[in-house]
PDB file of all heavy atoms in Angstrom:
ATOM      1  N   GLY A 262      15.681 -17.145  29.426  1.00  0.00           N
ATOM      2  CA  GLY A 262      15.427 -16.231  28.321  1.00  0.00           C
ATOM      3  C   GLY A 262      15.590 -14.782  28.696  1.00  0.00           C
ATOM      4  O   GLY A 262      15.881 -14.422  29.845  1.00  0.00           O
ATOM      5  N   SER A 275      16.292  -5.899  16.421  1.00  0.00           N
ATOM      6  CA  SER A 275      16.479  -7.087  15.579  1.00  0.00           C
ATOM      7  C   SER A 275      17.934  -7.521  15.526  1.00  0.00           C
ATOM      8  O   SER A 275      18.249  -8.710  15.671  1.00  0.00           O
ATOM      9  CB  SER A 275      15.973  -6.826  14.156  1.00  0.00           C
ATOM     10  OG  SER A 275      14.589  -6.615  14.131  1.00  0.00           O
ATOM     11  N   THR A 307       9.140 -20.820   5.767  1.00  0.00           N
ATOM     12  CA  THR A 307       9.902 -21.884   6.408  1.00  0.00           C
ATOM     13  C   THR A 307       9.745 -23.182   5.622  1.00  0.00           C
ATOM     14  O   THR A 307       8.909 -23.289   4.722  1.00  0.00           O
ATOM     15  CB  THR A 307       9.418 -22.126   7.845  1.00  0.00           C
ATOM     16  OG1 THR A 307       8.085 -22.652   7.797  1.00  0.00           O
ATOM     17  CG2 THR A 307       9.415 -20.828   8.645  1.00  0.00           C
ATOM     18  N   GLU A 312       4.674 -18.788   6.828  1.00  0.00           N
ATOM     19  CA  GLU A 312       5.195 -17.442   6.579  1.00  0.00           C
ATOM     20  C   GLU A 312       5.525 -16.761   7.897  1.00  0.00           C
ATOM     21  O   GLU A 312       4.667 -16.657   8.787  1.00  0.00           O
ATOM     22  CB  GLU A 312       4.166 -16.617   5.802  1.00  0.00           C
ATOM     23  CG  GLU A 312       4.673 -15.243   5.396  1.00  0.00           C
ATOM     24  CD  GLU A 312       3.645 -14.440   4.611  1.00  0.00           C
ATOM     25  OE1 GLU A 312       2.477 -14.871   4.533  1.00  0.00           O
ATOM     26  OE2 GLU A 312       4.013 -13.371   4.097  1.00  0.00           O
ATOM     27  N   LEU A 357      -7.656  -7.298   8.965  1.00  0.00           N
ATOM     28  CA  LEU A 357      -8.281  -6.572  10.060  1.00  0.00           C
ATOM     29  C   LEU A 357      -7.821  -5.125  10.085  1.00  0.00           C
ATOM     30  O   LEU A 357      -6.651  -4.826   9.763  1.00  0.00           O
ATOM     31  CB  LEU A 357      -7.919  -7.208  11.410  1.00  0.00           C
ATOM     32  CG  LEU A 357      -8.753  -8.401  11.894  1.00  0.00           C
ATOM     33  CD1 LEU A 357      -8.225  -8.861  13.244  1.00  0.00           C
ATOM     34  CD2 LEU A 357     -10.218  -8.055  12.008  1.00  0.00           C
ATOM     35  N   ASN A 400      -0.894   3.468  25.232  1.00  0.00           N
ATOM     36  CA  ASN A 400      -2.223   3.306  24.639  1.00  0.00           C
ATOM     37  C   ASN A 400      -2.484   1.864  24.214  1.00  0.00           C
ATOM     38  O   ASN A 400      -3.637   1.470  24.021  1.00  0.00           O
ATOM     39  CB  ASN A 400      -2.374   4.229  23.420  1.00  0.00           C
ATOM     40  CG  ASN A 400      -1.284   3.996  22.383  1.00  0.00           C
ATOM     41  OD1 ASN A 400      -0.109   3.864  22.728  1.00  0.00           O
ATOM     42  ND2 ASN A 400      -1.660   3.953  21.122  1.00  0.00           N
ATOM     43  N   ALA A 414       4.441 -12.658  31.356  1.00  0.00           N
ATOM     44  CA  ALA A 414       3.942 -14.038  31.319  1.00  0.00           C
ATOM     45  C   ALA A 414       5.060 -15.046  31.534  1.00  0.00           C
ATOM     46  O   ALA A 414       4.870 -16.084  32.179  1.00  0.00           O
ATOM     47  CB  ALA A 414       3.242 -14.300  29.988  1.00  0.00           C
ATOM     48  N   ARG A 427      20.637   8.834  17.137  1.00  0.00           N
ATOM     49  CA  ARG A 427      19.529   9.762  16.894  1.00  0.00           C
ATOM     50  C   ARG A 427      19.412  10.809  17.983  1.00  0.00           C
ATOM     51  O   ARG A 427      18.623  11.749  17.863  1.00  0.00           O
ATOM     52  CB  ARG A 427      18.217   8.982  16.803  1.00  0.00           C
ATOM     53  CG  ARG A 427      18.156   8.048  15.612  1.00  0.00           C
ATOM     54  CD  ARG A 427      16.811   7.377  15.521  1.00  0.00           C
ATOM     55  NE  ARG A 427      16.680   6.589  14.312  1.00  0.00           N
ATOM     56  CZ  ARG A 427      15.566   5.987  13.928  1.00  0.00           C
ATOM     57  NH1 ARG A 427      14.470   6.082  14.662  1.00  0.00           N
ATOM     58  NH2 ARG A 427      15.520   5.274  12.821  1.00  0.00           N
ATOM     59  N   ALA A 439       9.902   4.898  33.343  1.00  0.00           N
ATOM     60  CA  ALA A 439       8.982   5.631  34.220  1.00  0.00           C
ATOM     61  C   ALA A 439       7.539   5.560  33.759  1.00  0.00           C
ATOM     62  O   ALA A 439       6.632   5.883  34.537  1.00  0.00           O
ATOM     63  CB  ALA A 439       9.423   7.087  34.328  1.00  0.00           C
ATOM     64  N   ASP A 445       5.627  -4.181  35.654  1.00  0.00           N
ATOM     65  CA  ASP A 445       6.472  -4.211  34.462  1.00  0.00           C
ATOM     66  C   ASP A 445       7.866  -3.688  34.768  1.00  0.00           C
ATOM     67  O   ASP A 445       8.871  -4.217  34.278  1.00  0.00           O
ATOM     68  CB  ASP A 445       5.841  -3.377  33.339  1.00  0.00           C
ATOM     69  CG  ASP A 445       4.613  -4.038  32.734  1.00  0.00           C
ATOM     70  OD1 ASP A 445       4.445  -5.259  32.925  1.00  0.00           O
ATOM     71  OD2 ASP A 445       3.825  -3.337  32.076  1.00  0.00           O
ATOM     72  N   GLY A 459      32.431   7.489  18.725  1.00  0.00           N
ATOM     73  CA  GLY A 459      33.310   8.344  19.516  1.00  0.00           C
ATOM     74  C   GLY A 459      33.921   7.648  20.709  1.00  0.00           C
ATOM     75  O   GLY A 459      34.001   6.423  20.784  1.00  0.00           O
ATOM     76  N   LEU A 464      30.830   9.125  27.557  1.00  0.00           N
ATOM     77  CA  LEU A 464      29.448   8.713  27.823  1.00  0.00           C
ATOM     78  C   LEU A 464      29.268   8.253  29.260  1.00  0.00           C
ATOM     79  O   LEU A 464      28.154   8.273  29.796  1.00  0.00           O
ATOM     80  CB  LEU A 464      29.081   7.577  26.856  1.00  0.00           C
ATOM     81  CG  LEU A 464      27.609   7.212  26.702  1.00  0.00           C
ATOM     82  CD1 LEU A 464      26.827   8.376  26.111  1.00  0.00           C
ATOM     83  CD2 LEU A 464      27.476   5.979  25.799  1.00  0.00           C
ATOM     84  N   LEU A 471      22.363   7.823  34.952  1.00  0.00           N
ATOM     85  CA  LEU A 471      21.191   6.993  34.649  1.00  0.00           C
ATOM     86  C   LEU A 471      21.032   5.908  35.699  1.00  0.00           C
ATOM     87  O   LEU A 471      19.907   5.618  36.137  1.00  0.00           O
ATOM     88  CB  LEU A 471      21.359   6.377  33.254  1.00  0.00           C
ATOM     89  CG  LEU A 471      20.194   5.551  32.731  1.00  0.00           C
ATOM     90  CD1 LEU A 471      18.962   6.426  32.503  1.00  0.00           C
ATOM     91  CD2 LEU A 471      20.582   4.837  31.419  1.00  0.00           C
ATOM     92  N   ALA A 556      17.042   6.253 -16.655  1.00  0.00           N
ATOM     93  CA  ALA A 556      17.749   6.505 -17.916  1.00  0.00           C
ATOM     94  C   ALA A 556      19.099   5.806 -17.978  1.00  0.00           C
ATOM     95  O   ALA A 556      19.454   5.217 -19.004  1.00  0.00           O
ATOM     96  CB  ALA A 556      17.912   8.013 -18.123  1.00  0.00           C
ATOM     97  N   VAL A 561      16.360  -2.629 -14.553  1.00  0.00           N
ATOM     98  CA  VAL A 561      15.291  -2.092 -13.716  1.00  0.00           C
ATOM     99  C   VAL A 561      14.581  -3.263 -13.054  1.00  0.00           C
ATOM    100  O   VAL A 561      14.196  -4.224 -13.723  1.00  0.00           O
ATOM    101  CB  VAL A 561      14.296  -1.249 -14.530  1.00  0.00           C
ATOM    102  CG1 VAL A 561      13.061  -0.915 -13.698  1.00  0.00           C
ATOM    103  CG2 VAL A 561      14.967   0.033 -15.008  1.00  0.00           C
ATOM    104  N   GLY A 597      10.924  -8.457 -13.109  1.00  0.00           N
ATOM    105  CA  GLY A 597       9.794  -8.338 -12.188  1.00  0.00           C
ATOM    106  C   GLY A 597       9.781  -9.517 -11.241  1.00  0.00           C
ATOM    107  O   GLY A 597       9.891 -10.673 -11.673  1.00  0.00           O
ATOM    108  N   HIS A 608      -2.717  -8.780 -17.917  1.00  0.00           N
ATOM    109  CA  HIS A 608      -4.065  -8.616 -17.368  1.00  0.00           C
ATOM    110  C   HIS A 608      -4.077  -9.147 -15.936  1.00  0.00           C
ATOM    111  O   HIS A 608      -3.481 -10.182 -15.637  1.00  0.00           O
ATOM    112  CB  HIS A 608      -5.036  -9.418 -18.246  1.00  0.00           C
ATOM    113  CG  HIS A 608      -6.439  -9.462 -17.747  1.00  0.00           C
ATOM    114  ND1 HIS A 608      -7.366  -8.502 -18.054  1.00  0.00           N
ATOM    115  CD2 HIS A 608      -7.090 -10.365 -16.966  1.00  0.00           C
ATOM    116  CE1 HIS A 608      -8.521  -8.827 -17.485  1.00  0.00           C
ATOM    117  NE2 HIS A 608      -8.378  -9.947 -16.815  1.00  0.00           N
ATOM    118  N   LEU A 623       1.185  -4.064 -17.636  1.00  0.00           N
ATOM    119  CA  LEU A 623       2.037  -3.306 -18.556  1.00  0.00           C
ATOM    120  C   LEU A 623       2.186  -4.011 -19.897  1.00  0.00           C
ATOM    121  O   LEU A 623       2.707  -3.418 -20.847  1.00  0.00           O
ATOM    122  CB  LEU A 623       3.419  -3.073 -17.934  1.00  0.00           C
ATOM    123  CG  LEU A 623       3.444  -2.256 -16.628  1.00  0.00           C
ATOM    124  CD1 LEU A 623       4.883  -1.976 -16.220  1.00  0.00           C
ATOM    125  CD2 LEU A 623       2.676  -0.956 -16.781  1.00  0.00           C
ATOM    126  N   ALA A 633      -6.238 -15.421  -6.045  1.00  0.00           N
ATOM    127  CA  ALA A 633      -6.992 -16.463  -5.360  1.00  0.00           C
ATOM    128  C   ALA A 633      -7.078 -16.142  -3.874  1.00  0.00           C
ATOM    129  O   ALA A 633      -6.158 -15.539  -3.307  1.00  0.00           O
ATOM    130  CB  ALA A 633      -6.301 -17.810  -5.552  1.00  0.00           C
ATOM    131  N   HIS A 656       2.379 -15.367  -2.340  1.00  0.00           N
ATOM    132  CA  HIS A 656       1.522 -14.553  -3.221  1.00  0.00           C
ATOM    133  C   HIS A 656       0.114 -15.136  -3.317  1.00  0.00           C
ATOM    134  O   HIS A 656      -0.088 -16.344  -3.188  1.00  0.00           O
ATOM    135  CB  HIS A 656       2.132 -14.452  -4.625  1.00  0.00           C
ATOM    136  CG  HIS A 656       2.466 -15.776  -5.263  1.00  0.00           C
ATOM    137  ND1 HIS A 656       1.583 -16.451  -6.066  1.00  0.00           N
ATOM    138  CD2 HIS A 656       3.588 -16.538  -5.205  1.00  0.00           C
ATOM    139  CE1 HIS A 656       2.152 -17.574  -6.489  1.00  0.00           C
ATOM    140  NE2 HIS A 656       3.368 -17.656  -5.976  1.00  0.00           N
TER     141      HIS A 656
END
Side-chain angles (χ1 to χ4, degrees):
S275 295
T307 67
E312 185 179 9
L357 276 180
N400 56 316
R427 295 184 174 186
D445 288 342
L464 195 64
L471 184 66
V561 170
H608 175 87
L623 298 186
H656 53 92

